[in-house]
Amino acid sequence: MPRLFTFTEAGDHPANEDAFVAAPHPADPACWVVRVADGQGGRGGGARAARLACDTAAAGAFSMRPAELTNAGAWTTILGTADAAVAADPEAGFTTLIGLAATDRELAGASVGDSAALLWVGGRVSDLTARQFKNPPVGSGAADAVPFAAGLAEPWRLLAMTDGVWKYAGWEKVRAAVTRQAGAGLLAALRAAARLPGSGTFPDDFTTVLLEAEEA
């Protein structure tokens, strides 16, 4: 059974504009559903957009059967619904969004923006979100969700994160941590790499969601 580890903290400002939801599917606890969003700064409503996007994607995913969620095309539909919901809210701004489902044998999802998801399986790290588009963002009503899918075999690790992680920890350290570490230690290494010297704060909102399955 996969284990879940999460951490989120605001950057050097009062409000955290990141949001995430990670939980087993109500119909099948072996199917984990993950959403991560990073509200766009520089304009109002980023935090609201991120939360609404995650909640809408969660509702869409949980309304489907677990078997449907292993089809990446289902996730482009789910993220499209989230984009429309955020765009229709006059108090919401823009956000990134990753949505995915993972079972014991496969995962599938889609993404918009510059949050990222890395998968370590078979001794290799792959960037599931490498082909995504930063713009138009979720909330524009024109977001273009890019699907992804992969096979799973234990042991594996899936790390979904906002850009406050990879930008300030650095891709090299992120990939090394995903390859060499696991669980709470992996997330602690990323936090240490991203914190500012002296103040110990994060330059940007920092959110990590780690789902992992160890070899039986």
Side-chain angles (χ1 to χ4, degrees):
M1 180 71 69
R3 299 186 301 165
L4 176 70
F5 301 85
T6 67
F7 179 86
T8 187
E9 185 175 308
D12 194 16
H13 50 260
N16 188 344
E17 295 193 330
D18 290 352
F20 73 91
V21 181
H25 194 288
D28 183 359
C31 177
W32 277 82
V33 182
V34 175
R35 284 81 63 207
V36 173
D38 179 356
Q40 184 172 310
R43 57 174 290 159
R48 185 180 181 93
R51 174 50 56 191
L52 179 56
C54 279
D55 289 347
T56 303
F62 290 152
S63 71
M64 295 183 176
R65 292 180 294 108
E68 294 179 277
L69 297 177
T70 57
N71 180 345
W75 284 99
T76 61
T77 299
I78 291 170
L79 266 63
T81 301
D83 178 36
V86 176
D89 186 331
E91 297 182 22
F94 297 144
T95 184
T96 71
L97 181 60
I98 298 172
L100 62 88
T103 68
D104 58 343
R105 291 183 295 181
E106 57 190 329
L107 69 78
S111 65
V112 174
D114 60 1
S115 295
L118 295 185
L119 174 66
W120 176 84
V121 64
R124 299 181 62 182
V125 177
S126 57
D127 181 354
L128 298 173
T129 50
R131 296 172 50 246
Q132 69 185 348
F133 301 110
K134 184 174 181 179
N135 291 302
V138 169
S140 66
D144 186 5
V146 176
F148 55 81
L152 298 176
E154 295 179 354
W156 56 264
R157 288 190 282 276
L158 171 70
L159 176 69
M161 59 189 158
T162 55
D163 70 345
V165 182
W166 62 262
K167 279 185 179 179
Y168 298 101
W171 271 114
E172 183 176 340
K173 289 184 178 180
V174 171
R175 293 178 71 93
V178 171
T179 301
R180 300 168 187 165
Q181 296 178 266
L186 193 165
L187 298 194
L190 296 179
R191 293 197 298 273
R195 289 191 188 277
L196 291 169
S199 69
T201 59
F202 292 117
D204 192 6
D205 299 338
F206 181 108
T207 297
T208 49
V209 175
L210 173 65
L211 192 64
E212 64 180 27
E214 297 300 323
E215 194 166 13

mmCIF file of all heavy atoms in Angstrom, residues 79-99:
data_model
loop_
_atom_site.group_PDB
_atom_site.id
_atom_site.type_symbol
_atom_site.label_atom_id
_atom_site.label_comp_id
_atom_site.label_asym_id
_atom_site.label_seq_id
_atom_site.Cartn_x
_atom_site.Cartn_y
_atom_site.Cartn_z
ATOM 1 N N LEU A 79 -9.300 18.430 -15.673
ATOM 2 C CA LEU A 79 -8.628 19.727 -15.555
ATOM 3 C C LEU A 79 -9.351 20.798 -16.355
ATOM 4 O O LEU A 79 -9.363 21.971 -15.965
ATOM 5 C CB LEU A 79 -7.170 19.614 -15.988
ATOM 6 C CG LEU A 79 -6.177 19.348 -14.840
ATOM 7 C CD1 LEU A 79 -6.457 18.008 -14.168
ATOM 8 C CD2 LEU A 79 -4.742 19.418 -15.327
ATOM 9 N N GLY A 80 -9.979 20.408 -17.471
ATOM 10 C CA GLY A 80 -10.776 21.371 -18.228
ATOM 11 C C GLY A 80 -11.964 21.863 -17.431
ATOM 12 O O GLY A 80 -12.306 23.065 -17.476
ATOM 13 N N THR A 81 -12.583 20.970 -16.685
ATOM 14 C CA THR A 81 -13.699 21.361 -15.822
ATOM 15 C C THR A 81 -13.220 22.302 -14.723
ATOM 16 O O THR A 81 -13.895 23.285 -14.387
ATOM 17 C CB THR A 81 -14.354 20.115 -15.209
ATOM 18 O OG1 THR A 81 -14.821 19.266 -16.260
ATOM 19 C CG2 THR A 81 -15.515 20.489 -14.306
ATOM 20 N N ALA A 82 -12.059 22.016 -14.149
ATOM 21 C CA ALA A 82 -11.495 22.897 -13.127
ATOM 22 C C ALA A 82 -11.175 24.275 -13.697
ATOM 23 O O ALA A 82 -11.422 25.313 -13.053
ATOM 24 C CB ALA A 82 -10.240 22.258 -12.538
ATOM 25 N N ASP A 83 -10.626 24.320 -14.897
ATOM 26 C CA ASP A 83 -10.323 25.598 -15.562
ATOM 27 C C ASP A 83 -11.589 26.428 -15.720
ATOM 28 O O ASP A 83 -11.608 27.625 -15.415
ATOM 29 C CB ASP A 83 -9.685 25.306 -16.922
ATOM 30 C CG ASP A 83 -9.378 26.562 -17.721
ATOM 31 O OD1 ASP A 83 -8.999 27.583 -17.120
ATOM 32 O OD2 ASP A 83 -9.524 26.513 -18.958
ATOM 33 N N ALA A 84 -12.665 25.783 -16.171
ATOM 34 C CA ALA A 84 -13.923 26.502 -16.365
ATOM 35 C C ALA A 84 -14.493 26.995 -15.044
ATOM 36 O O ALA A 84 -15.025 28.122 -14.958
ATOM 37 C CB ALA A 84 -14.930 25.584 -17.061
ATOM 38 N N ALA A 85 -14.381 26.193 -13.980
ATOM 39 C CA ALA A 85 -14.908 26.598 -12.677
ATOM 40 C C ALA A 85 -14.156 27.792 -12.117
ATOM 41 O O ALA A 85 -14.765 28.728 -11.565
ATOM 42 C CB ALA A 85 -14.831 25.424 -11.707
ATOM 43 N N VAL A 86 -12.831 27.798 -12.254
ATOM 44 C CA VAL A 86 -12.042 28.924 -11.758
ATOM 45 C C VAL A 86 -12.322 30.176 -12.588
ATOM 46 O O VAL A 86 -12.467 31.283 -12.052
ATOM 47 C CB VAL A 86 -10.544 28.584 -11.760
ATOM 48 C CG1 VAL A 86 -9.715 29.785 -11.327
ATOM 49 C CG2 VAL A 86 -10.259 27.391 -10.847
ATOM 50 N N ALA A 87 -12.430 30.018 -13.893
ATOM 51 C CA ALA A 87 -12.707 31.158 -14.769
ATOM 52 C C ALA A 87 -14.064 31.780 -14.461
ATOM 53 O O ALA A 87 -14.252 32.999 -14.635
ATOM 54 C CB ALA A 87 -12.651 30.721 -16.228
ATOM 55 N N ALA A 88 -15.017 30.969 -14.016
ATOM 56 C CA ALA A 88 -16.369 31.457 -13.739
ATOM 57 C C ALA A 88 -16.482 32.160 -12.391
ATOM 58 O O ALA A 88 -17.504 32.795 -12.116
ATOM 59 C CB ALA A 88 -17.357 30.303 -13.797
ATOM 60 N N ASP A 89 -15.473 32.049 -11.551
ATOM 61 C CA ASP A 89 -15.496 32.679 -10.224
ATOM 62 C C ASP A 89 -14.863 34.064 -10.309
ATOM 63 O O ASP A 89 -13.654 34.174 -10.534
ATOM 64 C CB ASP A 89 -14.721 31.812 -9.233
ATOM 65 C CG ASP A 89 -14.826 32.310 -7.802
ATOM 66 O OD1 ASP A 89 -14.994 33.530 -7.593
ATOM 67 O OD2 ASP A 89 -14.741 31.486 -6.884
ATOM 68 N N PRO A 90 -15.625 35.135 -10.108
ATOM 69 C CA PRO A 90 -15.071 36.479 -10.272
ATOM 70 C C PRO A 90 -14.011 36.844 -9.235
ATOM 71 O O PRO A 90 -13.260 37.799 -9.437
ATOM 72 C CB PRO A 90 -16.303 37.388 -10.140
ATOM 73 C CG PRO A 90 -17.299 36.583 -9.381
ATOM 74 C CD PRO A 90 -17.055 35.157 -9.777
ATOM 75 N N GLU A 91 -13.936 36.104 -8.145
ATOM 76 C CA GLU A 91 -12.953 36.401 -7.107
ATOM 77 C C GLU A 91 -11.693 35.553 -7.234
ATOM 78 O O GLU A 91 -10.754 35.726 -6.459
ATOM 79 C CB GLU A 91 -13.578 36.199 -5.726
ATOM 80 C CG GLU A 91 -14.743 37.139 -5.443
ATOM 81 C CD GLU A 91 -15.293 36.947 -4.047
ATOM 82 O OE1 GLU A 91 -14.551 36.431 -3.181
ATOM 83 O OE2 GLU A 91 -16.450 37.294 -3.813
ATOM 84 N N ALA A 92 -11.673 34.625 -8.182
ATOM 85 C CA ALA A 92 -10.517 33.744 -8.358
ATOM 86 C C ALA A 92 -9.583 34.288 -9.432
ATOM 87 O O ALA A 92 -10.029 34.863 -10.429
ATOM 88 C CB ALA A 92 -10.973 32.340 -8.731
ATOM 89 N N GLY A 93 -8.296 34.090 -9.218
ATOM 90 C CA GLY A 93 -7.308 34.482 -10.211
ATOM 91 C C GLY A 93 -6.905 33.300 -11.067
ATOM 92 O O GLY A 93 -7.754 32.543 -11.527
ATOM 93 N N PHE A 94 -5.590 33.124 -11.251
ATOM 94 C CA PHE A 94 -5.062 32.046 -12.073
ATOM 95 C C PHE A 94 -4.243 31.081 -11.210
ATOM 96 O O PHE A 94 -3.750 31.446 -10.144
ATOM 97 C CB PHE A 94 -4.172 32.588 -13.185
ATOM 98 C CG PHE A 94 -4.885 33.466 -14.175
ATOM 99 C CD1 PHE A 94 -4.240 34.566 -14.737
ATOM 100 C CD2 PHE A 94 -6.185 33.201 -14.561
ATOM 101 C CE1 PHE A 94 -4.878 35.371 -15.665
ATOM 102 C CE2 PHE A 94 -6.842 34.001 -15.486
ATOM 103 C CZ PHE A 94 -6.186 35.090 -16.034
ATOM 104 N N THR A 95 -4.062 29.866 -11.711
ATOM 105 C CA THR A 95 -3.295 28.866 -10.971
ATOM 106 C C THR A 95 -2.733 27.801 -11.903
ATOM 107 O O THR A 95 -3.210 27.635 -13.027
ATOM 108 C CB THR A 95 -4.188 28.185 -9.903
ATOM 109 O OG1 THR A 95 -3.400 27.272 -9.126
ATOM 110 C CG2 THR A 95 -5.352 27.419 -10.526
ATOM 111 N N THR A 96 -1.715 27.115 -11.428
ATOM 112 C CA THR A 96 -1.263 25.881 -12.060
ATOM 113 C C THR A 96 -2.147 24.752 -11.533
ATOM 114 O O THR A 96 -2.883 24.932 -10.563
ATOM 115 C CB THR A 96 0.203 25.560 -11.710
ATOM 116 O OG1 THR A 96 0.282 25.167 -10.334
ATOM 117 C CG2 THR A 96 1.098 26.765 -11.937
ATOM 118 N N LEU A 97 -2.041 23.572 -12.132
ATOM 119 C CA LEU A 97 -2.784 22.426 -11.605
ATOM 120 C C LEU A 97 -2.187 21.129 -12.143
ATOM 121 O O LEU A 97 -1.988 20.989 -13.351
ATOM 122 C CB LEU A 97 -4.264 22.506 -11.985
ATOM 123 C CG LEU A 97 -5.163 21.372 -11.461
ATOM 124 C CD1 LEU A 97 -5.145 21.316 -9.939
ATOM 125 C CD2 LEU A 97 -6.587 21.547 -11.982
ATOM 126 N N ILE A 98 -1.887 20.209 -11.231
ATOM 127 C CA ILE A 98 -1.554 18.833 -11.563
ATOM 128 C C ILE A 98 -2.640 17.949 -10.975
ATOM 129 O O ILE A 98 -3.013 18.118 -9.804
ATOM 130 C CB ILE A 98 -0.195 18.403 -10.978
ATOM 131 C CG1 ILE A 98 0.951 19.246 -11.558
ATOM 132 C CG2 ILE A 98 0.066 16.922 -11.241
ATOM 133 C CD1 ILE A 98 2.279 19.003 -10.870
ATOM 134 N N GLY A 99 -3.144 17.014 -11.765
ATOM 135 C CA GLY A 99 -4.086 16.024 -11.265
ATOM 136 C C GLY A 99 -3.659 14.653 -11.746
ATOM 137 O O GLY A 99 -3.277 14.500 -12.910
#
